Amino acid sequence: MDSPAQRQDSTVRLPQFRVTVNSRCGRACFFCRPSGEAVATGAGQELSVQDLLAVAVPLLAHGIDSIKLTGGDPALWEPLEEAVTRLREAGFAEIELISRHPRIGERAAALARAGVTQFNMSVDTLDPALHRQICGVDDLAAVLGALTQVVATGVPVKVNTVVMAGVNDGEIEELAAWCEKTGVATLKLLDVIRDMDSGAESFARRLAITRGGASIGSLYVPLHEVAAALREQAASVDVRSQGGLGHPMTVLRLASGFEVVLKDSRAGAWYGDVCTGCRFYPCHDALMALRLTADRRLQFCLLREEISVPLGEILHDPDQMDSVLGRALSTYATARFRPAGPDDEPARPVRLLPVVAS
């Protein structure tokens, strides 16, 4: 079988475009960062719709017609419906909305009318006490209620679950059955990214307090082990990537059409010139996405603030913006896939070498 590098060598490599519309979600999930996607974004930061469009619309001319709205949490961003409407009017074919806040339920119908093409919610457990321990908020019933409201819109719904050893790895089959019964289209299982506690900020200290000194690394469990029973139930098994730069992911399709997707952080990743000499190489997210942050920066990765591009002074200068976006996308166009090695660990001070397809 060809490697991901061989299969995608002729693909136009465009990243996912992710937008953190605000900087805080009101939760403290111990496998996450306070700013979610962003690197050390201050509390209270948020984009205006005009700021978002100033970056998003020029990207359409470069071939990017899908966008993921995240945060923080978009459910807490007041102009969300307006933003979705404007993005659809501009020409975006796919708008994925990522939230784990109950308020998304009460906004779901309006968002579906505005043009959201996929809802993405996070559910890591069906146990209320464990839910509270994981995220610091006692609202599992409200979250599950919101999820049923989102499903009722008829827009495809994906549920993300971070699988953690000794935490929720024993209830994945139950969670999958609940999602399938509820009408969720896809359950996406993610393992714990080992370098999640690297970079400028994380909730790793809260993890140590709530789980008796546990570390991010101690929560890792191989997804193929957790999903073994689901694989036996699958009517088909495939491999999928998101665009030209995403991780290769295993897709288990059940007879009902319900899908379980395994995103293995150790499967390998795409790296570009900004990764050369990086102290975190090899990391586990690398160049999958181009991110617009709530404090108006373009961000290539989750770990290095110094390679982000401030946009404040040029945000509403179309010529300069187009030039900056072109240079940013060139980083992805020349990216190379590096399969993970058995001994790979993050944060090793080595120099990146291009991967050559064999």
Side-chain angles (χ1 to χ4, degrees):
M1 180 179 292
D2 291 342
S3 70
Q6 289 172 304
R7 290 197 304 271
Q8 301 187 44
D9 189 59
S10 61
T11 301
V12 176
R13 299 195 186 101
L14 293 173
Q16 295 178 25
F17 179 43
R18 301 175 71 101
V19 179
T20 60
V21 298
N22 52 11
S23 62
R24 291 294 187 268
C25 69
R27 293 165 188 271
C29 300
F30 52 53
F31 53 77
C32 194
R33 298 181 174 94
S35 306
E37 296 283 356
V39 175
T41 305
Q45 296 284 336
E46 69 173 30
L47 293 171
S48 69
V49 174
Q50 288 305 118
D51 290 343
L52 167 57
L53 293 173
V55 181
V57 172
L59 284 174
L60 282 166
H62 289 276
I64 295 178
D65 66 354
S66 64
I67 185 171
K68 296 189 177 186
L69 301 179
T70 180
D73 200 303
L76 303 177
W77 189 51
E78 292 308 317
L80 180 57
E81 291 85 354
E82 177 191 354
V84 172
T85 298
R86 298 283 298 277
L87 288 167
R88 289 289 278 177
E89 291 174 346
F92 277 88
E94 298 179 2
I95 302 176
E96 182 174 348
L97 185 57
I98 302 170
S99 173
R100 62 183 302 138
H101 196 281
R103 193 180 176 201
I104 200 63
E106 64 192 60
R107 304 182 76 170
L111 289 164
R113 291 192 297 269
V116 168
T117 57
Q118 180 166 268
F119 287 101
N120 187 326
M121 291 190 68
S122 293
V123 179
D124 297 307
T125 179
L126 296 175
D127 180 332
L130 182 56
H131 171 83
R132 180 178 182 177
Q133 184 184 104
I134 291 171
C135 68
V137 181
D138 188 10
D139 66 351
L140 178 62
V143 170
L144 298 182
L147 179 57
T148 61
Q149 290 177 287
V150 170
V151 170
T153 66
V155 174
V157 177
K158 179 194 298 181
V159 167
N160 281 0
T161 298
V162 178
V163 183
M164 296 167 279
V167 180
N168 65 347
D169 55 328
E171 61 174 305
I172 299 306
E173 289 180 62
E174 178 187 3
L175 181 58
W178 186 90
C179 287
E180 184 179 18
K181 180 180 178 181
T182 303
V184 170
T186 304
L187 172 64
K188 185 175 182 180
L189 304 179
L190 304 95
D191 56 14
V192 174
I193 299 176
R194 291 177 295 175
D195 48 33
M196 187 59 76
D197 53 355
S198 301
E201 57 179 13
S202 79
F203 282 124
R205 184 171 181 274
R206 182 174 174 275
L207 168 61
I209 293 171
T210 58
R211 302 293 297 184
S215 65
I216 287 290
S218 70
L219 299 183
Y220 176 79
V221 58
L223 292 180
H224 70 271
E225 295 180 3
V226 174
L230 292 171
R231 190 181 187 104
E232 291 180 1
Q233 300 172 32
S236 66
V237 180
D238 200 359
V239 176
R240 177 188 302 164
S241 290
Q242 294 175 309
L245 289 156
H247 296 273
M249 298 180 292
T250 301
V251 181
L252 312 177
R253 179 180 284 270
L254 276 58
S256 64
F258 174 67
E259 290 185 344
V260 179
V261 176
L262 313 182
K263 184 181 179 183
D264 183 349
S265 67
R266 304 188 184 197
W270 291 84
Y271 301 90
D273 54 1
V274 296
C275 305
T276 302
C278 178
R279 66 188 184 279
F280 296 115
Y281 175 82
C283 65
H284 298 104
D285 203 46
L287 289 182
M288 179 179 66
L290 179 65
R291 296 167 171 88
L292 171 62
T293 68
D295 58 357
R296 298 156 186 82
R297 287 178 290 152
L298 283 181
Q299 185 175 298
F300 297 103
C301 79
L302 293 176
L303 300 176
R304 291 174 57 196
E305 189 169 6
E306 78 277 9
I307 62 172
S308 62
V309 181
L311 298 178
E313 295 184 0
I314 67 164
L315 195 57
H316 299 288
D317 183 327
D319 292 337
Q320 288 198 62
M321 178 59 65
D322 190 66
S323 176
V324 167
L325 291 175
R327 291 197 300 272
L329 292 176
S330 69
T331 296
Y332 297 88
T334 57
R336 294 290 182 269
F337 184 83
R338 181 190 190 280
D343 300 320
D344 273 352
E345 292 291 340
R348 291 189 299 163
V350 298
R351 184 175 180 82
L352 173 69
L353 297 176
V355 173
V356 179
S358 58

